[in-house]
């Protein structure tokens, strides 16, 4: 880990990452890709020491309250004390300014800040996102080794449900020849139904790989699934999108379950929901089918 003062934090669409890099170790992590131009080892997490001060300053200057998004490129609950202190400070600032929050994490450490999330949700709106890729706990420890397993994330989702905080699950990626099965998808959807999630983001059954994360992914395939790298190379070459042969059948099942249980699934609709500040506006947005 290393500390760094940065120049800016909030993007034009009010997204922020309070750190760069991650130690959760997901074997398919896109944030490792070379295109992001990280100038340090991915595991040598860069903590933005002045993130709370920059956020305070940015929110003070806003004319309108907004949703703040975090967690897209690095997990806000990486278990490093300086990082955990920073995310709590940022949540306090968001709450104090009456802004909304859309926060994405794979870690149930977020429960530590539950009281703050409840307060944000009472004042404006809080949406918690997590990723579920495998129903199989043993497989989860291989493909997402340093963060809590799917079952713990499911428990976290239920806690949010019980506190009226809306949740969105990313079912992505499902890895060809590993967990792109009907059995796995059904298990994950069952968790989503039980946790009464608001929406599921799913771009199709498969994964994306590009320079930087492809090498890491293949190295992990060699370690844990001997022979599978060669199968991938034969089938997909250097493609960016690696679609599963089971995509059509599994997506059909996905849509059927979502429709049956009123789970929202259009990614644009869900991104729109997370960007919409006011709870009332959000409801109208749905009613008029803006997306
Ligand atoms: S939690 Fe997210 S950022 Fe961290 S390794 Fe996993 S996919 Fe990458």
């Amino acid at each position: 880990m290393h500390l760094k003062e940065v120049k800016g934090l909030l993007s034009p669409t009010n997204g922020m990452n309070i750190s760069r890099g991650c130690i959760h170790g997901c074997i398919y992590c896109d944030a490792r890709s070379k295109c992001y131009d990280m100038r340090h080892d991915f595991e040598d997490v860069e903590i933005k020491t002045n993130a709370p001060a920059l956020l305070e300053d940015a929110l003070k200057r806003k004319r309108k309250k907004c949703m703040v998004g975090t967690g897209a490129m690095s997990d806000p609950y990486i278990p490093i004390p300086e990082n955990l202190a920073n995310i709590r400070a940022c949540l306090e600032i968001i709450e104090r300014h009456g802004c909304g929050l859309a926060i994405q994490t794979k870690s149930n450490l977020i429960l530590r800040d539950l009281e703050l999330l409840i307060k944000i949700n009472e004042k404006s709106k809080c949406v918690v996102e997590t990723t579920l890729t495998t129903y199989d706990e043993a497989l989860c420890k291989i493909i997402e080794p340093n963060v809590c397993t799917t079952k713990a994330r499911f428990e976290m989702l239920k806690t949010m449900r019980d506190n009226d905080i809306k949740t969105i699950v990313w079912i992505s990626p499902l890895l060809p020849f590993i967990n792109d099965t009907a059995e796995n998808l059904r298990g994950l959807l069952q968790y989503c139904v039980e946790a009464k999630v608001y929406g599921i983001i799913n771009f199709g059954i498969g994964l994306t790989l590009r320079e930087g994360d492809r090498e890491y992914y293949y190295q992990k395939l060699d370690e844990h699934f001997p022979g599978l790298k060669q199968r991938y190379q034969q089938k997909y070459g250097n493609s960016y999108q690696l679609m599963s042969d089971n995509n059509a059948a599994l997506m059909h099942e996905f849509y059927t379950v979502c429709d049956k249980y009123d789970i929202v699934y259009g990614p644009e609709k869900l991104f729109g929901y997370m960007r919409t500040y006011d709870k009332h506006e959000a409801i109208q947005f749905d009613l008029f089918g803006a997306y």
Side-chain angles (χ1 to χ4, degrees):
M1 178 275 283
H2 64 278
L3 305 174
K4 186 167 180 187
E5 279 222 351
V6 292
K7 290 201 174 103
L9 186 76
L10 269 196
S11 72
T13 52
N14 302 317
M16 65 173 189
N17 287 293
I18 61 165
S19 58
R20 284 195 93 191
C22 189
I23 52 175
H24 285 161
C26 309
I27 66 171
Y28 50 75
C29 178
D30 173 70
R32 289 180 179 278
S33 303
K34 280 231 166 92
C35 59
Y36 299 118
D37 196 25
M38 200 167 288
R39 305 211 171 143
H40 50 88
D41 286 347
F42 190 69
E43 283 75 15
D44 178 18
V45 178
E46 183 169 283
I47 310 285
K48 301 178 184 176
T49 48
N50 56 339
L54 289 174
L55 181 64
E56 173 76 51
D57 188 50
L59 294 188
K60 223 188 288 175
R61 286 188 283 111
K62 291 258 174 221
R63 291 215 193 109
K64 279 174 76 181
K65 297 190 192 307
C66 62
M67 291 293 286
V68 175
T70 191
M73 286 296 296
S74 67
D75 197 306
Y77 285 92
I78 295 169
I80 297 173
E82 290 83 348
N83 186 61
L84 294 176
N86 261 6
I87 187 62
R88 190 199 282 283
C90 287
L91 297 187
E92 283 167 351
I93 291 164
I94 289 166
E95 193 274 331
R96 192 154 23 80
H97 282 271
C99 286
L101 173 74
I103 185 165
Q104 184 178 356
T105 180
K106 280 195 177 100
S107 173
N108 60 354
L109 275 175
I110 192 174
L111 292 171
R112 183 200 70 148
D113 292 333
L114 182 62
E115 289 307 312
L116 265 171
L117 302 178
I118 292 171
K119 277 193 196 170
I120 293 170
N121 199 42
E122 282 168 357
K123 269 194 184 171
S124 56
K125 175 169 146 189
C126 177
V127 183
V128 172
E129 303 155 74
T130 196
T131 300
L132 303 180
T133 64
T134 176
Y135 186 70
D136 178 334
E137 292 285 286
L139 180 64
C140 188
K141 285 184 184 140
I142 294 172
I143 65 177
E144 295 154 355
N146 307 326
V147 70
C148 71
T149 60
T150 301
K151 212 162 183 191
R153 285 175 235 161
F154 168 55
E155 294 301 326
M156 180 271 281
L157 287 169
K158 286 193 295 181
T159 303
M160 297 302 163
R161 172 200 68 193
D162 295 344
N163 285 283
D164 292 326
I165 293 175
K166 292 272 197 298
T167 54
I168 291 177
V169 166
W170 293 64
I171 293 192
S172 172
L174 296 192
L175 313 172
F177 313 121
I178 297 176
N179 59 353
D180 58 338
T181 64
E183 191 195 8
N184 184 44
L185 181 67
R186 279 176 204 146
L188 298 178
L189 289 173
Q190 185 51 39
Y191 275 163
C192 292
V193 169
E194 232 178 296
K196 291 190 173 17
V197 305
Y198 176 79
I200 303 177
I201 293 174
N202 177 355
F203 297 105
I205 309 300
L207 88 154
T208 59
L209 288 179
R210 47 188 164 188
E211 196 182 352
D213 80 300
R214 180 182 289 110
E215 292 74 4
Y216 188 79
Y217 183 68
Y218 282 169
Q219 183 192 322
K220 293 295 161 187
L221 288 192
D222 280 344
E223 273 173 40
H224 300 289
F225 308 93
L228 204 47
K229 177 178 79 181
Q230 290 73 9
R231 209 167 159 198
Y232 268 71
Q233 286 171 327
Q234 220 166 29
K235 184 168 173 65
Y236 299 110
N238 275 343
S239 304
Y240 172 59
Q241 271 193 319
L242 288 71
M243 207 48 100
S244 161
D245 288 343
N246 305 329
N247 180 55
L250 295 191
M251 286 308 283
H252 177 71
E253 188 149 353
F254 170 73
Y255 295 134
T256 306
V257 172
C258 289
D259 285 339
K260 183 171 174 193
Y261 292 98
D262 283 328
I263 297 173
V264 180
Y265 53 78
E268 281 310 313
K269 194 170 182 180
L270 289 168
F271 291 133
Y273 175 72
M274 286 189 275
R275 282 194 301 263
T276 305
Y277 167 72
D278 183 80
K279 278 185 190 178
H280 179 64
E281 261 178 43
I283 291 162
Q284 293 210 332
F285 191 77
D286 276 356
L287 284 176
F288 297 129
Y291 277 78

